[in-house]
């Protein structure tokens, strides 16, 4: 299926015929369930001026669909680092 497809696809029927002309058929209806990774947030506390770092823990949604750890995690705007106005 397309990479973004989830849900039930239209059914397909497969027909097989043997040497004697006897037919057998079967219907297949695939259903694709979404795989949604999860994340555990991280908070840090320290004195003013100290560099603070934290790395959330990301967990794959299904072991059969591993996460690509070679691609860095990003914020909604596509950046990989973030400063909070007036804070840091």
């Amino acid at each position: 299926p397309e990479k973004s497809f989830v849900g039930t696809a239209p059914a397909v029927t497969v027909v097989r015929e043997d040497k004697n002309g006897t037919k057998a058929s079967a219907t297949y209806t695939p259903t694709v369930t979404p795989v949604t990774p999860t994340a555990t947030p991280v908070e840090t506390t320290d004195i003013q001026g100290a560099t603070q770092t934290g790395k959330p823990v990301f967990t794959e949604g299904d072991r059969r669909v591993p996460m690509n750890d070679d691609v860095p995690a990003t914020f909604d705007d596509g950046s990989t680092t973030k400063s909070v106005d007036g804070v840091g």
Side-chain angles (χ1 to χ4, degrees):
E2 291 289 328
K3 199 172 190 177
S4 61
F5 177 82
V6 293
T8 302
V12 293
T13 301
V14 179
V15 179
R16 175 73 177 162
E17 185 174 335
D18 68 11
K19 292 180 186 179
N20 301 320
T22 305
K23 294 181 180 180
S25 66
T27 302
Y28 173 66
T29 307
T31 299
V32 179
T33 55
V35 175
T36 306
T38 59
T40 304
V42 174
E43 296 181 12
T44 62
T45 304
D46 207 336
I47 62 171
Q48 183 174 358
T51 300
Q52 296 190 38
T53 60
K55 185 176 180 181
V57 177
F58 295 95
T59 306
E60 59 197 12
D62 186 304
R63 65 176 177 74
R64 297 170 295 180
V65 185
M67 294 178 65
N68 185 353
D69 292 331
D70 293 334
V71 177
T74 59
F75 290 94
D76 289 340
D77 64 2
S79 66
T80 57
T81 60
K82 191 62 74 177
S83 293
V84 179
D85 292 335
V87 178

